[in-house]
Amino acid sequence: MATSARPTTLNDLPDVILSNIIAAVSDVRSRNVAALVCRKWLVLERSTRTSLTLRGNTTRDIFMLPTCFRSVTHLDLSLLSPWGHPLLSPRAAADNDGADDSTLIAHLLRHAFPSVSSLTVYARDPHALQLLPIQWPQLKQIKLVRWHQRPQLASGDEFSLLFQGCSQLASLDLSTFYCWTEDLPPALESNPVVASNMTVLNLLNASFSEGFKTDEIRVITKCCPYLKDFKVVCMFDPRYIGFVGDEALVCIAKNCPKLSVLHLADTSVLSNCRSESDLDEEGFSIDDGKISVSTLIEVFSGLPLLEELVLDVSNNVRDTGPALEVLNKKCPKLKLLKLGQFHGISMPIESKLDGVALCQGLQSLSIRNVGDLDDMGLIAIGRGCTRLAKFEIQSCKKITMRGMRTLASLLRRSLVDVRISCCKNLGASSSLKALEPIQERIERLHIDCVWDSVEEIENLDGCVEYGFDLNKANGGEASSHPAGFGDAFGSADDDLMFNRKKRCKYSYDLNSVYVEVNGHGNGFGERTWDRLQYLSLWIAVGELLTPLEAAGLQDCPNLEEIKIKVEGDCRLWSKPSERAFGLSTLIRFPKLVKMHLDCGDIIGYAHTAPSGQMDLSQWERFYLFGIGHLNLRELDYWPPQDRDVNQRSLSLPAAGLLQECLTLRKLFIHGTAHEHFMMFLPRIPNLRDVQLREDYYPAPENDMSTEMRAGSLSRFEAALNRRQICD
């Protein structure tokens, strides 16, 4: 009697193949699920895990330190609990009634993770920098995190401790490490071997009040001649002594000719990127920067390996088109370009492209505060930069929906990531209408929730009607064009962008441009954003979220993540016009599971408000009301702040509303909270991970009114861990 053969399963694959399959899984929870299948899969998953973030309390639960992740090369210790408390310090040991066990903890970490070559650590005091790096002689990459105040040490001492224990260090990330700009240069000078090995240096830190000066940049680039990735926050304002101008740019190009990534950003851009107080009506700053076109040409010519370039300055850099044309010729590998306060980047004459429109290899382009960029310049960018997958435009006041819509039509094959902000002619409705040509392809989107109406857009007075015909191709029928754009859309570019086997028809009026393929148009009745996975919104304080659907985001079947940033001074409001902000309206997005709700830039009264106004607890009730209706699994929440007392604290109404999010698994509150408010949260049945993070400058040192003590946080974590989780 023949027996039926056992069906072949995934587990029958050879171990080598199965190991490669599991190693290719990047999602952490999916890997954890795979490890629960059987012991064989557990061993394979643990042996192929290369990145790990620890979240436990090492001081209290050091015996629970995992020892099965022997292949981990990247270890993140910046999110240990209690967040922001010293990991290794004599003071921490004394608080636990023991000897100085910092050295013991450091050795246990080395024993558990022997293969670490990349480390991220919250270094609140220099003790961690003295003990941790020496545990891994092969350490090549390190990221330091600190939101608290800098310890009282001489300039350079803190980094000297780090460099003495990391002789092979090649990458240093200080983008979230509170320090002084004068701390790094002397440490690099006193450790020339480490400095000469450095290839990656990230100094884009918003905590620097003035940024790096010319002399400091000269020292850094001279000490690190083999840098390939250099990101630094600078002071470009010529009113300051030591400002960054022509001299500093030339110095970077001469000292570090192997750079492939160069990001230079002004301090004002990192601190408040939406600020327009220093700009005139057209978008020009009051003063011009001390950066000349000839210097830009010299710099671009000296950096032929550039793949990413960011020049985000605060003062006018005029007539930059010729320099950008040289950039295209001298840097053929350039893929990412971000320009701030650069003018004249695209000024097409007749059918000739110029400036940034000639950078045909660009895949990501971001432009900010370009005062003379109009629709024609934007259309030229769409014609020339045909490979753009990401496009960001900010504070360009001459751009209208017509120009943006034409750009989207031209780039409909490649564009999947768009950010539109601070453009006075592009509110929510007009931005979404402009993106209709790519609404079936776009995956990531940011818009400002400025509630204009489509009727207002269609009846704009004084808007230019473009008469050129987008149908025309080489050998096509003649059509009317505006002066100077005779064959703008009849070039070989069309052959590359459009499938010539299909018949494409464009209307003459860019206010209602649409495409018909094989005679079937979308008609714009179907407002479905099929592939949209990430949505970012900016909204002013007091405004409602409810008009979002009417603006054009009715149907986003695959939207998984949303970020909402609310900004403004609620002290100027007596109360909102409605009871709730409108989070419950997001229930129409069935796959929405992750939310960032950032109210950190809302300014108000943390304590008793004046008569006729609401304190921050009532504003929190307004913004969080209805959040329990959503099926969120992850939530990052920034409470509003009272700058007078440097307080961002979770209020009682906020804690009560958050406990209604019954599907939450992860909750990160970027502020402080009273312990008894936090005890509301264990009532969420599947909540696995909760943390208070004061990740803002300056993080409070000792705020006894908001239960930030280690004991309070430990009691909360114990209550959270005592619960039974169904899965």
Side-chain angles (χ1 to χ4, degrees):
M1 182 176 181
T3 59
S4 59
R6 183 176 64 87
T8 302
T9 64
L10 189 62
N11 204 38
D12 295 323
L13 291 173
D15 288 353
V16 176
I17 298 178
L18 188 58
S19 176
N20 289 333
I21 293 175
I22 294 178
V25 178
S26 58
D27 180 66
V28 175
R29 193 165 184 222
S30 298
R31 294 187 66 98
N32 292 338
V33 170
L36 296 176
V37 173
C38 61
R39 181 169 296 276
K40 175 182 176 180
W41 284 40
L42 172 65
V43 173
L44 291 175
E45 194 283 323
R46 296 299 189 252
S47 64
T48 57
R49 181 84 68 108
T50 59
S51 179
L52 187 69
T53 300
L54 290 184
R55 283 281 290 105
N57 189 321
T58 56
T59 305
R60 184 191 63 198
D61 301 326
I62 190 64
F63 65 94
M64 298 181 64
L65 188 68
T67 59
C68 54
F69 298 99
R70 311 292 291 179
S71 300
V72 165
T73 57
H74 174 71
L75 181 63
D76 189 345
L77 302 177
S78 65
L79 299 177
L80 289 170
S81 294
W83 185 94
H85 287 251
L87 170 62
L88 304 176
S89 71
R91 181 178 57 189
D95 292 342
N96 288 277
D97 301 326
D100 184 2
D101 55 5
S102 300
T103 304
L104 173 62
I105 294 176
H107 282 295
L108 289 174
L109 287 170
R110 180 188 62 183
H111 180 265
F113 310 104
S115 304
V116 170
S117 60
S118 174
L119 178 67
T120 302
V121 60
Y122 196 102
R124 186 165 176 176
D125 56 39
H127 204 62
L129 299 181
Q130 188 176 15
L131 285 179
L132 272 180
I134 61 174
Q135 306 301 323
W136 295 283
Q138 72 275 22
L139 197 64
K140 295 183 178 181
Q141 302 177 22
I142 189 165
K143 178 178 181 179
L144 302 182
V145 181
R146 181 170 66 205
W147 300 87
H148 291 84
Q149 294 292 339
R150 173 188 180 275
Q152 299 301 318
L153 297 173
S155 297
D157 286 356
E158 201 167 15
F159 291 120
S160 293
L161 289 174
L162 171 66
F163 295 154
Q164 290 169 8
C166 299
S167 59
Q168 299 185 31
L169 189 64
S171 174
L172 179 62
D173 188 343
L174 303 178
S175 59
T176 53
F177 184 73
Y178 184 87
C179 60
W180 295 343
T181 57
E182 55 264 35
D183 284 335
L184 186 60
L188 291 173
E189 287 183 309
S190 60
N191 295 272
V193 176
V194 175
S196 62
N197 290 334
M198 201 79 68
T199 59
V200 179
L201 187 57
N202 189 344
L203 305 176
L204 279 179
N205 195 319
S207 69
F208 296 144
S209 58
E210 295 185 357
F212 285 86
K213 307 295 196 307
T214 296
D215 292 341
E216 294 166 338
I217 290 178
R218 182 187 299 110
V219 172
I220 292 172
T221 54
K222 185 178 180 180
C223 292
C224 308
Y226 300 108
L227 280 178
K228 297 180 180 179
D229 187 328
F230 186 38
K231 301 175 182 177
V232 59
V233 58
C234 308
M235 174 52 69
F236 287 101
D237 195 332
R239 295 174 296 180
Y240 287 78
I241 297 176
F243 68 91
V244 172
D246 290 341
E247 181 184 353
L249 295 181
V250 173
C251 186
I252 292 174
K254 288 184 176 180
N255 291 339
C256 304
K258 296 184 178 182
L259 281 174
S260 60
V261 177
L262 177 61
H263 292 199
L264 304 179
D266 191 83
T267 52
S268 61
V269 175
L270 295 184
S271 60
N272 185 8
C273 61
R274 298 183 65 90
S275 177
E276 300 182 18
S277 57
D278 297 333
L279 304 180
D280 60 21
E281 293 182 356
E282 294 185 351
F284 293 89
S285 62
I286 299 175
D287 301 316
D288 288 353
K290 300 300 182 180
I291 300 176
S292 64
V293 173
S294 60
T295 296
L296 291 174
I297 292 176
E298 181 180 355
V299 171
F300 298 156
S301 300
L303 298 174
L305 302 179
L306 274 182
E307 298 179 15
E308 296 184 15
L309 176 62
V310 173
L311 293 174
D312 208 349
V313 305
S314 58
N315 299 88
N316 300 321
V317 182
R318 300 179 184 269
D319 304 321
T320 59
L324 295 175
E325 294 176 10
V326 173
L327 174 66
N328 175 58
K329 295 178 181 178
K330 299 295 183 178
C331 305
K333 297 182 179 180
L334 191 67
K335 298 293 187 296
L336 181 149
L337 179 62
K338 182 175 183 179
L339 301 172
Q341 215 66 44
F342 273 52
H343 308 291
I345 65 171
S346 180
M347 308 288 288
I349 299 177
E350 296 184 351
S351 61
K352 184 178 179 180
L353 301 178
D354 73 334
V356 72
L358 293 176
C359 299
Q360 299 179 358
L362 285 180
Q363 298 176 6
S364 174
L365 176 62
S366 175
I367 49 180
R368 181 185 64 85
N369 290 348
V370 184
D372 53 9
L373 182 67
D374 57 13
D375 285 348
M376 286 300 183
L378 191 65
I379 293 170
I381 292 175
R383 291 174 51 222
C385 304
T386 57
R387 299 180 182 178
L388 281 183
K390 179 179 180 180
F391 180 71
E392 177 179 359
I393 186 167
Q394 178 180 338
S395 301
C396 295
K397 301 185 178 182
K398 293 184 178 180
I399 299 299
T400 69
M401 184 268 292
R402 295 173 173 84
M404 190 66 205
R405 189 178 184 114
T406 308
L407 175 88
S409 297
L410 294 169
L411 299 176
R412 71 184 190 277
R413 293 288 180 86
S414 61
L415 198 58
V416 294
D417 187 345
V418 179
R419 294 181 59 89
I420 304 173
S421 58
C422 299
C423 298
K424 69 176 184 179
N425 296 318
L426 291 172
S429 297
S430 52
S431 296
L432 294 173
K433 187 174 180 62
L435 297 176
E436 282 179 343
I438 59 170
Q439 70 176 25
E440 295 180 354
R441 291 184 49 84
I442 191 168
E443 298 174 3
R444 299 175 65 88
L445 172 65
H446 170 88
I447 59 172
D448 289 348
C449 293
V450 178
W451 304 123
D452 52 354
S453 66
V454 177
E455 289 75 12
E456 293 174 356
I457 300 168
E458 294 175 346
N459 295 314
L460 288 175
D461 294 328
C463 288
V464 179
E465 292 291 337
Y466 305 124
F468 52 84
D469 183 4
L470 302 187
N471 296 310
K472 182 182 177 184
N474 289 341
E477 298 177 0
S479 60
S480 60
H481 297 267
F485 256 78
D487 60 347
F489 298 93
S491 65
D493 296 337
D494 296 88
D495 293 337
L496 296 176
M497 288 186 294
F498 305 134
N499 186 348
R500 300 302 303 274
K501 294 181 180 180
K502 296 183 179 180
R503 181 184 178 186
C504 299
K505 180 181 179 181
Y506 296 85
S507 74
Y508 290 91
D509 182 6
L510 296 184
N511 187 43
S512 57
V513 144
Y514 66 95
V515 185
E516 289 186 2
V517 181
N518 294 331
H520 300 286
N522 63 9
F524 297 126
E526 301 176 4
R527 303 297 295 271
T528 300
W529 304 76
D530 291 328
R531 298 186 183 181
L532 188 64
Q533 299 175 6
Y534 172 87
L535 176 64
S536 173
L537 304 172
W538 177 92
I539 189 167
V541 67
E543 296 291 336
L544 302 178
L545 190 63
T546 47
L548 186 63
E549 179 180 5
L553 280 175
Q554 296 99 333
D555 189 6
C556 304
N558 293 303
L559 183 65
E560 298 177 356
E561 182 177 355
I562 188 169
K563 180 178 181 179
I564 302 174
K565 183 175 180 61
V566 189
E567 185 177 350
D569 192 344
C570 64
R571 296 173 297 186
L572 304 177
W573 291 69
S574 58
K575 63 178 182 178
S577 58
E578 300 288 342
R579 180 187 180 189
F581 173 55
L583 287 183
S584 58
T585 60
L586 302 179
I587 198 172
R588 72 171 67 92
F589 305 135
K591 292 187 178 181
L592 182 62
V593 294
K594 188 174 183 179
M595 175 182 288
H596 293 246
L597 181 57
D598 188 353
C599 299
D601 285 326
I602 296 179
I603 306 170
Y605 301 102
H607 305 296
T608 304
S611 177
Q613 291 189 312
M614 301 195 311
D615 60 25
L616 289 181
S617 65
Q618 299 304 312
W619 280 100
E620 281 195 280
R621 183 197 301 273
F622 167 72
Y623 281 107
L624 289 172
F625 191 86
I627 195 171
H629 297 156
L630 307 179
N631 295 320
L632 298 178
R633 289 205 300 261
E634 297 183 27
L635 174 63
D636 282 73
Y637 174 60
W638 286 259
Q641 62 171 312
D642 188 335
R643 291 181 178 174
D644 294 337
V645 295
N646 188 30
Q647 181 174 338
R648 306 187 191 206
S649 182
L650 191 73
S651 65
L652 176 60
L657 290 168
L658 288 178
Q659 74 167 344
E660 297 179 359
C661 299
L662 301 181
T663 58
L664 269 187
R665 298 184 66 89
K666 295 183 179 182
L667 173 61
F668 303 118
I669 300 171
H670 300 262
T672 64
H674 290 276
E675 181 180 356
H676 59 282
F677 292 170
M678 294 291 290
M679 288 302 179
F680 282 50
L681 302 179
R683 302 175 187 177
I684 303 175
N686 292 317
L687 193 61
R688 298 289 298 268
D689 196 359
V690 183
Q691 194 168 46
L692 294 179
R693 300 174 182 171
E694 300 89 47
D695 48 0
Y696 50 88
Y697 296 112
E701 293 288 336
N702 293 294
D703 189 355
M704 302 305 292
S705 66
T706 52
E707 296 295 346
M708 294 166 50
R709 293 162 293 188
S712 302
L713 296 173
S714 296
R715 286 192 293 271
F716 168 74
E717 289 177 352
L720 192 67
N721 293 332
R722 281 195 300 265
R723 302 169 309 125
Q724 294 293 327
I725 305 296
C726 62
D727 60 349

